[in-house]
Amino acid sequence: MPLLTPKENAMQILVTGGAGYIGSHTCVELLQAGHEVVILDNLYNAKESTLARIEKLGGKAVTFVKGDTRDRACLVRLFQECQIDAAIHFAALKAVNESIQIPLPYYENNVAGTVNLSEVMSEYGCKTLVFSSSATVYGDRNPVPFREDMPVGKATNPYGTTKIMNEQILADLCVSDPEWRVTLLRYFNPVGAHPSGELGEDPNRVPLNIAPIIQDVAMGKRDKLLVTGHDYPTPDGTCIRDYIHIADLAAGHVKALEHMVASPPGCEVFNLGTGKGTSVLELVEAFECVNGVKIPMEYAPRRAGDIAECYADVSKAERVLGWKTQYGIDDMCRDVWKWLHNLNREQREREV
């Protein structure tokens, strides 16, 4: 793939958690848009081998720093050595159910990391930040579809509460220092892989969300899918979620970043989703139909912290950012299946 011609307004972007699932796909989009990328990742739940995939798809090299947003000395060295124009902050623990079981590490990692990063960015005059937030901030008291102007602050789990806290911290920062530009991206349920099949989710830890579990069952790594809750007030009794293709989600970050740097300072919020709800059973059926596989299932009790329905009103992102999703559920299922087969083939080749 030929190197890209730098854009006139190209920036050097720090991407925390850039080796992870959403971060890696966003790095590819940034590189393809002509920007330079510096990745900071502690590799707690990501692999260093992902960097080569990013560079291949993005068409040029990235700068990688193994480190943690809670490590102030590491951040200072990074900002001293790299001329960072803006940051996209993904680095966080992210499992809803786990956050209920062990809340303190979630508060310490997710909130302290954001405060530390913001302080160092301020010290070095870098005051442009895209924050990875979540639809969990809407809690269970708002009607669907969720809109950006709805109240937040009643999350059903500690993970969601860390996102609410971070949103408030960053909004307060913008009030205290009018030079700051912050965009809060509330996204819904990322699914799928890069359409090339050469990049996808490859965590170190056992995934706890529905899509990777379906994938593990399809690949024979699990015997069956446990559907947690089938008595919700939905048409088929299972949870309804707004599943968004990872490539669409990544593109939304680039649109948000480029809109933000061309706009007045301040704090702005956008939903990134499809605007359509899909039940767990509908997702399973789509995966089976598209890929010609069978997903054995068993019903289990509801999982703590889950709500019945969660999908977005995305009209603001479409209107202001000029961003709109390009992929549907079938694409998500097809692309992740391609990625899983490629990953499985690579693993077998390494074992020979």
Side-chain angles (χ1 to χ4, degrees):
M1 185 175 185
L3 293 179
L4 300 173
T5 303
K7 291 175 58 174
E8 184 178 342
N9 59 346
M11 297 176 286
Q12 181 149 256
I13 313 300
L14 169 64
V15 183
T16 73
Y21 179 41
I22 304 174
S24 61
H25 287 79
T26 300
C27 287
V28 170
E29 292 288 330
L30 288 167
L31 292 173
Q32 291 180 340
H35 302 293
E36 303 294 327
V37 170
V38 178
I39 293 175
L40 175 71
D41 202 302
N42 62 11
L43 301 180
Y44 172 70
N45 198 31
K47 296 180 173 62
E48 193 167 351
S49 58
T50 300
L51 301 174
R53 301 182 191 278
I54 293 170
E55 293 177 335
K56 179 180 179 181
L57 292 170
K60 56 183 177 182
V62 301
T63 299
F64 174 64
V65 177
K66 185 177 180 181
D68 196 297
T69 55
R70 295 168 293 174
D71 184 343
R72 187 180 186 84
C74 174
L75 286 176
V76 168
R77 288 194 302 271
L78 189 157
F79 275 87
Q80 287 175 340
E81 295 171 4
C82 303
Q83 184 61 49
I84 303 298
D85 298 303
I88 302 179
H89 182 31
F90 292 105
L93 299 176
K94 64 175 187 176
V96 168
N97 198 47
E98 183 183 64
S99 77
I100 296 171
Q101 299 167 351
I102 51 169
L104 293 183
Y106 274 73
Y107 289 112
E108 194 275 333
N109 186 89
N110 294 7
V111 179
T114 299
V115 171
N116 203 40
L117 174 65
S118 302
E119 287 178 341
V120 175
M121 288 179 67
S122 285
E123 290 175 15
Y124 285 87
C126 177
K127 299 182 179 181
T128 302
L129 175 68
V130 176
F131 176 66
S132 167
S133 192
S134 166
T136 57
V137 302
Y138 291 111
D140 61 357
R141 301 188 183 183
N142 288 306
V144 289
F146 295 148
R147 300 188 318 273
E148 292 90 345
D149 60 357
M150 287 178 170
V152 300
K154 297 293 182 182
T156 59
N157 54 78
Y159 164 74
T161 303
T162 68
K163 294 299 185 181
I164 293 170
M165 294 172 70
N166 279 325
E167 285 197 8
Q168 188 63 58
I169 288 167
L170 294 170
D172 290 344
L173 178 60
C174 289
V175 171
S176 69
D177 184 345
E179 293 182 353
W180 269 90
R181 289 177 168 86
V182 173
T183 298
L184 309 174
L185 296 182
R186 295 172 181 166
Y187 34 84
F188 287 67
N189 293 72
V191 177
H194 193 275
S196 67
E198 297 187 24
L199 179 66
E201 189 166 16
D202 188 18
N204 295 327
R205 306 182 71 212
V206 176
L208 300 174
N209 47 320
I210 186 71
I213 294 175
I214 292 173
Q215 297 159 23
D216 281 352
V217 174
M219 296 295 289
K221 296 179 180 179
R222 298 178 188 237
D223 294 333
K224 58 192 173 185
L225 168 68
L226 287 179
V227 178
T228 51
H230 63 289
D231 57 349
Y232 287 97
T234 61
D236 62 23
T238 64
C239 290
I240 289 177
R241 295 292 182 265
D242 188 338
Y243 298 102
I244 177 173
H245 196 292
I246 188 65
D248 282 327
L249 186 62
H253 286 76
V254 180
K255 286 282 191 180
L257 177 68
E258 295 180 346
H259 166 76
M260 180 172 56
V261 299
S263 302
C267 184
E268 196 158 14
V269 183
F270 295 97
N271 287 334
L272 293 184
T274 65
K276 301 175 182 177
T278 301
S279 75
V280 170
L281 295 187
E282 288 172 333
L283 178 63
V284 171
E285 182 181 1
F287 196 96
E288 290 179 329
C289 291
V290 169
N291 299 312
V293 296
K294 184 64 179 174
I295 307 296
M297 293 187 303
E298 182 178 303
Y299 291 114
R302 293 187 185 187
R303 188 175 62 174
D306 280 341
I307 62 176
E309 293 184 89
C310 177
Y311 57 93
D313 180 324
V314 293
S315 57
K316 182 181 178 183
E318 293 179 359
R319 182 181 70 256
V320 177
L321 303 180
W323 170 87
K324 193 171 184 178
T325 56
Q326 304 297 315
Y327 301 98
I329 287 290
D330 287 354
D331 299 307
M332 300 175 209
C333 296
R334 184 180 301 109
D335 290 340
V336 77
W337 195 232
K338 187 191 304 182
W339 155 247
L340 291 171
H341 278 283
N342 284 342
L343 184 63
N344 193 45
R345 173 180 50 77
E346 291 176 5
Q347 291 172 343
R348 289 198 308 269
E349 289 173 352
R350 285 196 296 268
E351 293 170 357
V352 174

